[in-house]
C-alpha cells in the first residue's frame, strides 16, 4: 500500500503542469557559400522552448530557453513579465536599439543591418496605439550579454503610411550609439532606411548607413536588395551591395539565393544558396 501511495504521488507530481502553455519551435538552415573562390557549406539553426502562464490579475509570465543546432546556448534566454500595455524582459535580451534596428536586412546569411549589442533587461511600453517605447540596461558583468555597463532607450511610431524609429545608447566608458530609421510599404514593395552612428570615448564616429527594398513577385517569390556603407573619419571601410531572392516551396520551407559584393574589399564577393526549414 505504501508503495502504491508513493507511486501515485510521484505520478501526480510528474503529470501536474508547471506552466499553462509550452511551445517548442525553431528552424534549421543549410547553405552553400562561395567567398571569392573559397567554398564551404554552413549549417545553422536553433530550437526554442517558450513557457507561459497568466495570473488572475492578467499578468503573463514567460520563460524561454534557446539552443543552437549543436545543443549550445544560442542566446536570448530570458524571463518575461507582460500585459497589454508593457513588457519586461530579463536575461540575455535585445538592447533598446536592437529592438528596433535591422529594418533593411531581408536576407538569411549575407545581409548587414546595423551593429548589435545585447543588454540584460529591457522594458517596453505601448501607451497609445502605434507608439512603442523601450529602455534597456547592462550592469557590466551580465550573463550572455555583449555590452559593458550602460543603458539605451528607443521608440517607434506608426504614422500609417510609414513607421519611424530612433534610439540612443549611453555606455559607462563614455562611448555611445545613435540609431534612426524609417520603413514603408507600397503594396507589394517595401522600402527601408537606417543610420547607425557609433561614437568612441575619443569622439570618433563610425557611421553605418543601410538602404533596402523588397518586391513580392508573387505570394511565393520575393526579391530584395540592400546597400550598406560604413565610414569613419571620412574614410569608407565598406561599401556593400547585397541581392537576394526567396521562394516558399511549402509552408515553413524556403529556398534562397543571395549575392554580396564590396567595392572596398574584393574578398567580400560572396554567393550563397540554401534552404531553411521552420517548425
Amino acid at each position: 500500500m505504501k508503495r502504491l501511495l508513493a507511486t501515485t504521488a510521484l505520478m501526480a507530481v510528474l503529470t501536474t503542469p508547471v506552466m499553462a502553455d509550452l511551445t517548442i519551435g525553431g528552424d534549421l538552415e543549410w547553405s552553400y557559400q562561395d567567398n571569392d573562390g573559397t567554398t564551404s557549406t554552413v549549417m545553422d539553426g536553433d530550437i526554442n522552448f517558450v513557457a507561459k502562464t497568466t495570473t488572475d490579475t492578467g499578468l503573463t509570465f514567460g520563460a524561454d530557453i534557446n539552443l543552437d543546432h549543436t545543443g549550445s546556448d544560442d542566446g536570448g534566454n530570458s524571463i518575461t513579465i507582460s500585459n497589454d500595455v508593457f513588457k519586461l524582459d530579463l536575461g540575455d535580451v535585445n538592447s533598446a536599439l536592437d529592438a528596433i534596428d535591422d529594418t533593411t536586412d531581408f536576407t538569411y546569411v549575407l545581409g548587414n543591418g546595423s551593429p548589435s549589442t545585447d543588454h540584460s533587461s529591457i522594458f517596453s511600453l505601448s501607451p497609445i496605439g502605434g507608439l512603442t517605447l523601450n529602455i534597456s540596461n547592462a550592469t557590466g558583468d551580465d550573463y550572455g550579454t555583449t555590452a559593458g555597463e550602460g543603458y539605451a532607450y528607443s521608440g517607434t511610431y506608426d504614422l500609417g503610411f510609414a513607421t519611424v524609429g530612433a534610439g540612443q545608447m549611453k555606455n559607462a566608458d563614455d562611448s555611445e550609439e545613435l540609431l534612426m530609421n524609417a520603413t514603408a510599404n507600397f503594396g507589394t514593395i517595401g522600402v527601408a532606411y537606417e543610420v547607425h552612428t557609433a561614437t568612441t570615448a575619443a569622439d570618433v564616429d563610425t557611421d553605418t548607413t543601410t538602404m533596402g527594398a523588397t518586391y513580392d513577385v508573387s505570394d511565393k517569390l520575393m526579391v530584395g536588395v540592400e546597400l550598406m556603407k560604413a565610414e569613419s573619419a571620412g574614410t569608407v571601410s565598406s561599401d556593400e551591395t547585397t541581392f537576394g531572392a526567396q521562394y516558399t516551396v511549402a509552408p515553413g520551407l524556403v529556398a534562397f539565393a543571395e549575392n554580396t559584393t564590396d567595392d572596398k574589399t574584393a574578398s567580400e564577393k560572396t554567393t550563397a544558396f540554401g534552404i531553411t526549414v521552420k517548425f
Side-chain angles (χ1 to χ4, degrees):
M1 176 63 71
K2 289 183 179 179
R3 176 176 294 180
L4 176 60
L5 291 175
T7 302
T8 303
L10 177 61
M11 290 302 295
V13 170
L14 292 177
T15 57
T16 299
V18 178
M19 303 292 278
D21 298 297
L22 176 64
T23 302
I24 302 176
D27 65 272
L28 197 60
E29 172 191 296
W30 176 91
S31 62
Y32 171 84
Q33 300 182 20
D34 185 333
N35 178 229
D36 198 32
T38 301
T39 62
S40 61
T41 58
V42 180
M43 182 70 77
D44 191 18
D46 62 89
I47 185 169
N48 319 117
F49 301 88
V50 180
K52 290 184 179 181
T53 189
T54 303
T55 68
D56 294 337
T57 61
L59 283 178
T60 297
F61 286 77
D64 65 274
I65 298 174
N66 303 295
L67 303 174
D68 66 19
H69 63 285
T70 66
S72 301
D73 181 3
D74 195 42
N77 305 304
S78 64
I79 290 178
T80 303
I81 307 170
S82 64
N83 62 16
D84 293 337
V85 177
F86 79 88
K87 179 180 179 182
L88 175 64
D89 218 3
L90 306 169
D92 180 6
V93 300
N94 284 331
S95 67
L97 267 62
D98 289 346
I100 67 170
D101 71 354
D102 293 342
T103 57
T104 67
D105 187 7
F106 66 92
T107 67
Y108 283 98
V109 294
L110 298 183
N112 289 286
S114 293
S116 298
T117 302
D118 288 348
H119 274 179
S120 57
S121 67
I122 181 170
F123 179 78
S124 301
L125 181 68
S126 300
I128 60 174
L131 176 64
T132 300
L133 304 173
N134 310 287
I135 184 168
S136 64
N137 87 301
T139 64
D141 188 16
D142 299 314
Y143 156 75
T145 67
T146 56
E149 183 178 359
Y151 67 94
Y153 54 88
S154 69
T156 59
Y157 186 65
D158 186 352
L159 300 171
F161 62 92
T163 299
V164 295
Q168 188 172 30
M169 181 181 295
K170 294 279 191 176
N171 300 313
D173 63 359
D174 292 329
S175 64
E176 61 181 62
E177 299 178 32
L178 182 67
L179 178 73
M180 293 182 290
N181 57 31
T183 60
N185 289 283
F186 307 96
T188 57
I189 298 175
V191 294
Y193 178 82
E194 187 163 280
V195 178
H196 176 278
T197 300
T199 304
T200 68
D203 289 329
V204 177
D205 291 342
T206 298
D207 297 317
T208 302
T209 304
T210 53
M211 294 180 287
T214 58
Y215 174 59
D216 293 328
V217 180
S218 68
D219 60 347
K220 293 182 177 294
L221 177 62
M222 184 272 286
V223 295
V225 60
E226 182 190 59
L227 308 176
M228 185 277 285
K229 179 179 289 187
E231 182 176 3
S232 180
T235 301
V236 176
S237 58
S238 185
D239 188 1
E240 295 188 17
T241 301
T242 302
F243 295 97
Q246 300 169 7
Y247 184 79
T248 302
V249 181
L253 175 61
V254 176
F256 62 88
E258 299 169 7
N259 175 265
T260 186
T261 56
D262 191 339
D263 289 344
K264 304 299 294 185
T265 307
S267 61
E268 288 296 319
K269 182 179 180 180
T270 305
T271 301
F273 302 92
I275 55 175
T276 180
V277 179
K278 295 183 179 181
F279 54 89

